[in-house]
Amino acid sequence: MADPIGPSIRDVARLAGVSHQTVSRVLNNPAAVAASTRMRVDRAIAQLGYRPNVAARALKTHRSQLVGVLVARNSLFVAQDGLSRLEMTLRDRGMRVLMSGLAGSSRSDARHSVAPLLAQGVDAVVIAANEAGARELAYELAGAYPVVVLTPGVTAEAGLSSAAIDLEAGVKDVVAHLVDRGDRLLRHIAGPPTYTTTAARATAWIHELNHRELPVRPIVNVVNTAQGGYDAARAILDHDVPDAIFCFNDLVAIGAIRALQERGLRVPHDVAVVGVDDMPGADHVLPSLTTLRQPLQDLGEVGATLLLELLAGQPARSALIAPELVVRESSAGTRERGS
Amino acid sequence: MADPIGPSIRDVARLAGVSHQTVSRVLNNPAAVAASTRMRVDRAIAQLGYRPNVAARALKTHRSQLVGVLVARNSLFVAQDGLSRLEMTLRDRGMRVLMSGLAGSSRSDARHSVAPLLAQGVDAVVIAANEAGARELAYELAGAYPVVVLTPGVTAEAGLSSAAIDLEAGVKDVVAHLVDRGDRLLRHIAGPPTYTTTAARATAWIHELNHRELPVRPIVNVVNTAQGGYDAARAILDHDVPDAIFCFNDLVAIGAIRALQERGLRVPHDVAVVGVDDMPGADHVLPSLTTLRQPLQDLGEVGATLLLELLAGQPARSALIAPELVVRESSAGTRERGS
DNA sequence: AGGAAACATGTGATCGGTCACAAGATTGAC
DNA sequence: GTCAATCTTGTGACCGATCACATGTTTCCT
């Protein structure tokens, strides 16, 4: 059905009255062909509707023009256009994206997910997953393939570049914002321990609190859902009522806010809440969410750029993208101290 | 870097002391090889770490084992694991997924996005986009490729199968639910006109209202965002206050609820709100959203199944997946009539 | 005008599989 | 014991590109 195998390079050659090699040259290095000949060939190509056979080309050249992308299921990077942006940037450079979903969080899960990509003969691999196993896999692969990792805390080495949102810097902004409005007892609801981002974010948080000599008590959440945030917030409230809660992301923040309201605490009057992501709807939810916006589209673009650099033989490097603090209702106003 | 071209089928043959054709047989039709020979070959394969070269195979067989998937940017199908599920189901059958993002909504935008997929020699195409242009493209492609469309209102023809969530049935449930709780003046905030789903949903809505002899006045929204829902709701309220609003999706519903609250209307006491999708967080937002849950993962799986059927030469067909009405706070309780 | 360098084009081998066909070995029926 | 059918394995061509190399033509410098 998809078969009726089209014309080959030799058919074009015959029609244009040149050799097959000349046609190949027109395709790959037009400058090496006389203008008049080139025009004749181009016309023949158009006339026959010729399209090069990628399999034949890959067979001979040992390059597939394929980039394998390992993506976590349910990841915001995918949802928020990040993957699309990566793909479109690569597409413009003649590369195609082979996608593979990642199920679990262990290293063997990750290995299992890349296998088909490698079997397909990809030229390079992009790892867009915060799962710990995926990150380990990246180092494993780095010897054999150009690899780009889109997750924080990955050191660039030969053949392995990395890009991430600089949430360490973002966390600084969050703390500054909360302290400015008069909050002192700050709590953090961290993410699932299997994400590399969880530790990164929690560490930055603790570091910043220590720096400002504020009390520190983080809580690790187990699931990346609103329910997880709800449960974690209740656990916090069983202990005491903080001035503000910084949540792993907006989804978790939504759950936390519900828990607060149920206890009769008003947001932001009694407790301020800050999330991360600026997920769709965060601006209209009640109350709207103060959040660290992650420019995931930029991440996709930077990732593509890093990959193209590696493929061009340039050295591996790390890139950081700054997030943006968007202040909304959930942390609006100023706390009147001395109450 | 990804080069050091591995052993070929002939290397394996030499080591096992057989002909290259026998190795090929072990790979493709093991039953046709004597058990003892097969074992020798298998051992040689393992010993050399041989992996078949997909390019060579594709060159000869004219099948790439690649499925091209056209996905709308920012689509929930992607976000909610639908794409992952599609990919994983296909992966189990030895197929790989080539992804291509869709930018605009016109037919030429769609054509521009599939082009690289076709150039790469995919065996089939999946269209996971509600954009009108993408649907038109599906018919265009159906003659030359097996095509599966994941959007409503597509008629199955030779080589073109389709799957969609049966929102017509879902809309019935929504109306029944609202009428049950005593609502009579029902309004609809539709989606962007460029989505095929917008018309499908609005039509089903109007049909159902007519059927029950209720007043009909749908509103078409222009953008698929919370802000769009907010604006549309305000436009409705400028006219009168309905008993309930059925929104294009949860995101739009969130915006609508904000508009209602700003006018001093309580949800669901004064106005009930129903969305579609059951997006992450819909269960913890304030108020939590009554919604038509779209089983997008199932959609991915069914899509994969339809595709495999087409590739196996079976006839095209359409499949519908039932959504599920999840009642939550935004339409809880019963309206006391006669006020 | 002669000869080297640069330019333009062609020839045949090759990448690593599968396909069509041939041929030897084994089995079973009569 | 013979012959056909079946099973098992091997041989060589071929898919459609690119690569290395060869050859013929211009260009241009001395």
Side-chain angles (χ1 to χ4, degrees):
Chain A
M1 185 150 266
D3 268 347
I5 28 173
S8 84
I9 206 172
R10 285 161 222 264
D11 297 322
V12 175
R14 199 172 313 123
L15 180 59
V18 298
S19 77
H20 61 105
Q21 174 59 18
T22 297
V23 178
S24 173
R25 266 190 282 259
V26 169
L27 259 35
N28 297 296
N29 184 16
V33 178
S36 62
T37 316
R38 193 190 323 150
M39 256 171 46
R40 224 155 6 110
V41 172
D42 281 335
R43 194 153 11 175
I45 287 178
Q47 191 176 331
L48 293 177
Y50 165 80
R51 279 197 322 212
N53 179 318
V54 287
R57 180 177 293 176
L59 174 58
K60 182 62 180 175
T61 62
H62 299 289
R63 325 209 122 280
S64 62
Q65 304 290 91
L66 253 35
V67 174
V69 181
L70 189 68
V71 287
R73 296 175 58 167
N74 239 330
S75 100
L76 210 73
F77 176 70
V78 182
Q80 294 269 46
D81 256 3
L83 181 57
S84 266
R85 192 67 160 265
L86 178 83
E87 187 265 326
M88 291 172 104
T89 308
L90 289 174
R91 186 201 295 172
D92 291 344
R93 306 294 278 275
M95 311 241 93
R96 321 258 176 268
V97 164
L98 252 191
M99 199 210 83
S100 183
L102 173 59
S105 62
S106 79
R107 190 206 290 230
S108 75
D109 289 329
R111 210 182 279 125
H112 185 258
S113 283
V114 256
L117 300 180
L118 305 187
Q120 192 68 33
V122 296
D123 289 343
V125 175
V126 173
I127 297 192
N130 291 327
E131 274 72 14
R135 178 213 285 233
E136 296 166 19
L137 181 74
Y139 288 106
E140 199 175 311
L141 252 43
Y145 294 84
V147 175
V148 171
V149 183
L150 304 181
T151 198
V154 177
T155 51
E157 353 182 303
L160 190 165
S161 282
S162 84
I165 310 281
D166 186 6
L167 282 177
E168 284 72 5
V171 165
K172 238 183 175 131
D173 294 343
V174 170
V175 174
H177 164 62
L178 293 174
V179 168
D180 274 359
R181 69 186 291 284
D183 300 331
R184 273 203 55 79
L185 180 53
L186 313 181
R187 301 291 304 249
H188 177 45
I189 298 178
T194 52
Y195 290 1
T196 57
T197 37
T198 296
R201 222 163 287 183
T203 306
W205 173 256
I206 292 172
H207 179 269
E208 192 59 21
L209 291 195
N210 281 333
H211 179 67
R212 290 176 178 264
E213 300 183 351
L214 294 166
V216 173
R217 271 164 300 176
I219 286 217
V220 171
N221 175 18
V222 269
V223 288
N224 181 23
T225 62
Q227 182 67 42
Y230 178 82
D231 294 339
R234 286 173 67 100
I236 288 178
L237 294 177
D238 284 342
H239 191 260
D240 52 16
V241 177
D243 295 331
I245 303 181
F246 172 55
C247 299
F248 180 66
N249 61 25
D250 292 343
L251 195 54
V252 167
I254 284 172
I257 288 177
R258 170 167 284 263
L260 290 167
Q261 302 266 17
E262 279 186 11
R263 297 277 174 114
L265 296 164
R266 286 159 303 171
V267 176
H269 187 268
D270 299 315
V271 182
V273 174
V274 176
V276 172
D277 280 349
D278 197 14
M279 66 178 254
D283 50 345
H284 280 72
V285 143
L286 296 168
S288 61
L289 295 175
T290 292
T291 188
L292 269 182
R293 177 182 296 158
Q294 303 212 58
L296 294 172
Q297 300 185 18
D298 295 352
L299 188 61
E301 194 160 329
V302 169
T305 306
L306 289 174
L307 193 74
L308 292 167
E309 285 182 14
L310 285 179
L311 286 171
Q314 294 176 43
R317 66 186 178 94
S318 288
L320 278 180
I321 298 165
E324 180 193 356
L325 179 65
V326 183
V327 177
R328 300 210 184 91
E329 293 166 355
S330 71
S331 76
T334 300
R335 178 175 301 278
E336 294 147 31
R337 294 223 61 91
S339 61
Chain B
M1 184 152 269
D3 267 347
I5 28 174
S8 84
I9 207 173
R10 287 158 221 266
D11 297 322
V12 175
R14 199 173 313 122
L15 180 59
V18 297
S19 77
H20 61 105
Q21 174 59 18
T22 298
V23 178
S24 174
R25 266 190 281 260
V26 169
L27 259 35
N28 297 297
N29 183 16
V33 178
S36 62
T37 316
R38 192 190 324 149
M39 256 172 45
R40 222 149 17 102
V41 172
D42 281 335
R43 196 154 9 177
I45 287 177
Q47 191 176 332
L48 292 177
Y50 166 80
R51 279 195 323 209
N53 180 319
V54 288
R57 180 175 296 178
L59 174 57
K60 182 62 180 174
T61 63
H62 298 289
R63 325 209 121 279
S64 61
Q65 305 289 90
L66 252 36
V67 174
V69 181
L70 189 68
V71 285
R73 296 175 58 168
N74 238 329
S75 100
L76 210 73
F77 177 70
V78 182
Q80 294 271 46
D81 257 2
L83 181 58
S84 265
R85 192 69 158 266
L86 177 83
E87 187 265 326
M88 291 172 105
T89 308
L90 289 174
R91 185 202 296 171
D92 291 343
R93 307 295 278 276
M95 311 243 91
R96 322 259 173 268
V97 164
L98 252 190
M99 199 210 84
S100 184
L102 173 59
S105 62
S106 79
R107 190 205 290 231
S108 77
D109 290 329
R111 208 182 281 125
H112 186 257
S113 281
V114 256
L117 300 180
L118 305 187
Q120 192 67 34
V122 296
D123 289 343
V125 175
V126 173
I127 297 192
N130 292 327
E131 274 72 13
R135 179 214 283 233
E136 295 165 20
L137 181 74
Y139 288 105
E140 199 175 310
L141 252 43
Y145 295 83
V147 175
V148 171
V149 183
L150 304 181
T151 198
V154 177
T155 52
E157 356 182 303
L160 191 167
S161 283
S162 84
I165 311 281
D166 185 5
L167 282 176
E168 283 73 5
V171 165
K172 240 185 174 128
D173 294 343
V174 169
V175 174
H177 164 63
L178 293 175
V179 167
D180 274 358
R181 69 184 293 282
D183 298 332
R184 274 204 55 80
L185 180 53
L186 314 181
R187 300 292 305 250
H188 177 46
I189 298 178
T194 52
Y195 291 0
T196 58
T197 37
T198 295
R201 221 163 288 183
T203 306
W205 173 256
I206 292 172
H207 177 269
E208 192 58 22
L209 292 195
N210 281 332
H211 179 68
R212 291 178 178 262
E213 300 182 352
L214 294 167
V216 173
R217 271 164 299 177
I219 286 220
V220 170
N221 174 20
V222 268
V223 289
N224 180 22
T225 61
Q227 182 68 43
Y230 178 83
D231 294 339
R234 286 174 66 101
I236 287 178
L237 294 177
D238 283 343
H239 191 260
D240 52 15
V241 178
D243 295 332
I245 302 180
F246 172 53
C247 299
F248 180 67
N249 62 23
D250 292 343
L251 195 55
V252 167
I254 284 172
I257 288 177
R258 170 167 285 262
L260 290 167
Q261 302 266 16
E262 280 185 10
R263 297 276 174 113
L265 296 163
R266 285 159 304 168
V267 176
H269 187 269
D270 299 315
V271 181
V273 174
V274 175
V276 172
D277 280 350
D278 196 15
M279 67 179 249
D283 51 345
H284 280 73
V285 144
L286 295 169
S288 61
L289 295 176
T290 292
T291 188
L292 269 182
R293 178 182 295 158
Q294 303 212 58
L296 294 172
Q297 300 186 20
D298 295 353
L299 188 62
E301 196 162 329
V302 169
T305 306
L306 289 175
L307 194 75
L308 292 167
E309 285 182 13
L310 284 180
L311 286 171
Q314 294 176 43
R317 65 184 178 96
S318 288
L320 278 181
I321 299 166
E324 181 193 356
L325 179 65
V326 183
V327 178
R328 300 212 184 90
E329 293 166 356
S330 71
S331 77
T334 300
R335 177 176 303 278
E336 295 149 31
R337 295 221 62 88
S339 60

